[in-house]
């Protein structure tokens, strides 16, 4: 393919919802995908659906067909594989549809909170550039033609204003380059590396990532347990869909403990993937035979916690950028007013 851009959250949700509709209608998967391929003929999706249609006929696996086009995030491929293995493909696709719809809403909220302030920053960068390159040198020439011998402090003030403008211009330019670069990389296969970088940069984002991974671990494991899937195999499948490396390592330790004969609730408690309170809940659930229901409830709790954390971050983005803008505007005023004040003092 010419383009290696990954599907957006909206496109992922659309794909999952359409496959769900086909499955609920009782249409065989290979016939349904062929119908989708014909439906999107003449659009930008034609080649991608045609390749999925061809591969599903060759392999019989939707997960392998989706993986072959390299346009979907690894999360979808792993989840579809889990659904096919456990015989719950329809339920998994419905969960993916809901997940990506929610992700799309969050992404739009972040975009709205960041886009307009960044446009203001770009406009300020243009203003600062004009002031530093064109206006301040004029002040210097006017100052030189006054005929009076200026004090050292007045000359220093003019130079300081010019330096402030140039420094602020450099900072704004670097900020815009970094943001644009990260945005472009996030649309490509470097998405996971960009995520890892941002998680290291922002501790709050790291906490949310852990909550999302814990919620995913809980929800998928609950579905597998409800379907009667063997515990060790279920944990192994779930391990492959967890994005956070720390939670993934904990899931691997849970699998090893189960392999050594430890119960699921005890293995989870040892891994410390959950808080102490929730680990105790799972111990009680293990004794009462309601492990799947408790895991599902924990998945909902951690999902809500992650959503709340994301909303908090989004609500802080705009005030933070506005604060930066206020500093930039203050620097502009200093860059203009200090030289002007010096010139007026000489004239006086």
């Amino acid at each position: 393919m010419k383009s290696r851009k990954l599907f957006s959250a909206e496109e992922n949700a659309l794909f999952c919802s359409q496959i769900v509709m086909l499955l609920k209608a009782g249409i065989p998967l290979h016939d349904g995908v062929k119908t989708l391929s014909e439906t999107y003929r003449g659009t930008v999706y034609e080649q991608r659906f045609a390749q999925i249609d061809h591969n599903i006929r060759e392999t019989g696996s939707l997960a392998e067909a989706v993986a072959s086009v390299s346009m979907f995030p690894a999360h979808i491929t792993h989840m579809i594989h889990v659904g096919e293995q456990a015989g719950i493909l329809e339920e998994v696709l419905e969960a993916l549809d809901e997940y990506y719809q929610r992700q799309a809403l969050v992404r739009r909220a972040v975009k709205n909170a960041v886009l307009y302030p960044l446009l203001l920053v770009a406009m300020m960068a243009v203003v600062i550039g004009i002031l530093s390159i064109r206006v301040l040198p004029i002040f210097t020439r006017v100052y030189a033609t006054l005929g009076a011998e200026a004090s050292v402090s007045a000359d220093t003030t003019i130079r300081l204003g010019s330096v402030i403008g140039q420094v602020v211009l450099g900072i704004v330019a670097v900020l815009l380059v970094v943001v644009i670069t990260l945005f472009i990389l996030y649309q490509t296969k470097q998405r996971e590396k960009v995520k890892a970088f941002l998680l290291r940069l922002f501790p709050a984002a790291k906490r949310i990532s852990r909550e999302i991974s814990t919620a995913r671990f809980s929800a998928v494991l609950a579905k597998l347990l409800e379907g009667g899937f063997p515990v060790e195999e279920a944990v192994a499948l779930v391990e492959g869909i967890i994005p956070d490396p720390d939670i993934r390592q904990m899931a691997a330790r849970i699998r090893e403990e189960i392999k050594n004969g430890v119960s699921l609730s005890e293995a989870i408690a040892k891994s410390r993937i959950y808080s102490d309170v929730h680990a105790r809940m799972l111990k009680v659930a293990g004794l009462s035979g309601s492990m799947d229901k408790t895991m599902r409830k924990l998945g909902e709790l951690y999902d809500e916690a992650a959503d709340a954390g994301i909303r908090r971050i989004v609500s802080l983005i705009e005030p933070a950028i506005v604060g930066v803008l206020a500093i930039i505007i203050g620097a502009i005023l200093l860059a203009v007013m200090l030289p002007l004040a010096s010139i007026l003092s000489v004239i006086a």
Side-chain angles (χ1 to χ4, degrees):
M1 288 190 184
K2 294 180 182 179
S3 173
R4 308 307 296 172
K5 182 180 177 182
L6 292 174
F7 276 164
S8 66
E10 290 89 346
E11 290 169 327
N12 290 327
L14 177 63
F15 174 79
C16 294
S17 66
Q18 289 179 323
I19 298 295
V20 167
M21 284 190 289
L22 293 172
L23 294 175
K24 285 187 174 181
I27 300 173
L29 198 54
H30 57 277
D31 290 337
V33 174
K34 180 175 178 60
T35 302
L36 285 179
S37 178
E38 292 173 351
T39 301
Y40 286 95
R41 187 169 295 166
T43 70
V44 293
Y45 303 100
E46 177 184 358
Q47 186 179 0
R48 296 162 179 175
F49 275 106
Q51 188 172 349
I52 292 174
D53 176 36
H54 171 76
N55 287 326
I56 203 169
R57 292 177 182 277
E58 291 287 326
T59 64
S61 168
L62 180 61
E64 292 185 27
V66 165
S68 67
V69 298
S70 301
M71 288 293 136
F72 294 91
H75 173 222
I76 279 188
T77 304
H78 291 314
M79 286 292 289
I80 291 176
H81 176 66
V82 169
E84 289 180 329
Q85 290 290 313
I88 53 171
L89 180 59
E90 184 178 321
E91 291 85 348
V92 166
L93 286 169
E94 284 181 330
L96 284 171
D97 178 25
E98 182 181 342
Y99 170 80
Y100 280 105
Q101 284 187 34
R102 188 169 63 249
Q103 189 180 78
L105 289 174
V106 170
R107 196 163 292 174
R108 281 196 292 271
V110 173
K111 183 178 178 180
N112 291 335
V114 172
L115 180 61
Y116 298 115
L118 280 180
L119 288 175
L120 288 175
V121 170
M123 292 171 63
M124 289 297 175
V126 174
V127 172
I128 294 170
I130 293 172
L131 287 173
S132 300
I133 297 171
R134 304 291 298 178
V135 177
L136 291 179
I138 293 174
F139 283 175
T140 304
R141 289 195 295 271
V142 170
Y143 181 80
T145 60
L146 291 175
E149 293 186 2
S151 65
V152 175
S153 61
D155 185 61
T156 303
T157 303
I158 292 178
R159 294 180 184 275
L160 177 62
S162 179
V163 169
I164 290 174
Q166 292 173 10
V167 168
V168 172
L169 178 61
I171 292 173
V172 172
V174 170
L175 176 64
L176 290 174
V177 168
V178 169
V179 171
I180 292 171
T181 302
L182 289 176
F183 177 78
I184 293 173
L185 289 176
Y186 192 80
Q187 307 304 314
T188 68
K189 292 181 129 182
Q190 303 299 318
R191 176 178 298 188
E192 295 304 320
K193 292 182 179 179
V194 174
K195 281 185 180 178
F197 170 75
L198 293 175
L199 290 177
R200 287 195 300 270
L201 196 61
F202 302 106
K206 176 67 175 175
R207 184 180 66 254
I208 292 172
S209 173
R210 291 174 66 94
E211 289 171 343
I212 290 173
S213 293
T214 304
R216 190 177 296 179
F217 173 85
S218 306
V220 177
L221 188 56
K223 283 186 176 294
L224 294 174
L225 294 176
E226 286 173 0
F229 217 70
V231 175
E232 186 179 336
E233 294 181 30
V235 175
L237 283 172
V238 175
E239 185 184 335
I241 65 168
I242 298 175
D244 188 89
D246 295 336
I247 304 298
R248 190 163 55 243
Q249 289 178 3
M250 293 177 185
R253 287 199 294 271
I254 291 172
R255 179 168 48 83
E256 290 299 321
E257 291 286 346
I258 293 172
K259 189 182 295 185
N260 294 331
V262 179
S263 68
L264 176 60
S265 59
E266 289 291 338
I268 289 176
K270 287 183 179 180
S271 71
R272 305 194 68 80
I273 194 171
Y274 296 105
S275 66
D276 290 339
V277 174
H278 293 155
R280 291 191 183 97
M281 284 175 58
L282 289 173
K283 284 185 179 181
V284 175
L287 294 173
S288 62
S290 58
M291 196 72 176
D292 52 349
K293 295 178 182 177
T294 306
M295 292 290 292
R296 185 171 65 251
K297 182 62 177 176
L298 288 178
E300 294 171 357
L301 289 174
Y302 279 91
D303 208 12
E304 290 172 2
D307 283 346
I310 291 171
R311 285 194 295 271
R312 282 196 301 272
I313 289 179
V314 170
S315 66
L316 290 174
I317 288 175
E318 194 164 0
I321 296 181
V322 169
V324 172
L325 279 175
I327 295 173
I328 293 174
I329 292 170
I332 292 174
L333 290 174
L334 285 174
V336 175
M337 298 306 296
L338 288 178
L340 183 59
S342 297
I343 292 173
L344 292 176
S345 67
V346 171
I347 294 175

